[in-house]
Amino acid sequence: MTAHIVNKTLDKNGNPGTLSKEILDGLLRKKLGFNGVVFSDDMQMHAIAKNYGLEESIKMALNAGVDILCFSNNITGTEERTVDRVHAIIRQFVESGSIPRAAD
């Protein structure tokens, strides 16, 4: 499970671990050889939600290497179920090419 902590030594852009391709793909997968499933911590925690927003954080996490995004609550201010909204966002990103259909 990823953490939403920032370590500028590991990610020069200062992205939290959950959103960092340098950390998840570069360090975890390539350098350390981890080939298991990567879960995010709750994507609605303030460190992510207040600084990146829902759509950008989903795109960054998936492009960084997160396999399963975790959401603990329904999205504030909407009656739409979180799972439906997140699915629609991911589908839109795949169709637009913002995230790949399959991992490298």
Side-chain angles (χ1 to χ4, degrees):
M1 177 176 271
T2 65
H4 302 325
I5 58 171
V6 173
N7 183 327
K8 289 187 177 182
T9 302
L10 299 177
D11 183 307
K12 64 182 178 279
N13 295 317
N15 290 319
T18 301
L19 308 181
S20 173
K21 187 169 182 117
E22 289 182 52
I23 293 173
L24 298 182
D25 185 54
L27 177 63
L28 183 64
R29 296 253 186 231
K30 292 185 175 125
K31 187 172 183 182
L32 298 175
F34 180 75
N35 63 0
V37 177
V38 175
F39 286 78
S40 74
D41 200 345
D42 182 8
M43 295 295 290
Q44 292 176 295
M45 293 174 78
H46 291 297
I48 299 297
K50 287 193 174 188
N51 292 300
Y52 297 90
L54 182 65
E55 291 186 14
E56 187 63 17
S57 64
I58 289 171
K59 179 169 50 174
M60 290 178 73
L62 293 174
N63 282 328
V66 172
D67 298 305
I68 297 177
L69 299 169
C70 296
F71 291 86
S72 64
N73 298 297
N74 282 324
I75 299 168
T76 305
T78 182
E79 293 298 314
E80 187 176 17
R81 293 182 329 146
T82 298
V83 67
D84 296 330
R85 179 73 182 125
V86 170
H87 179 263
I89 291 168
I90 293 170
R91 183 181 189 102
Q92 175 187 9
F93 284 142
V94 170
E95 289 172 353
S96 73
S98 295
I99 60 173
R101 285 189 179 274
D104 296 335

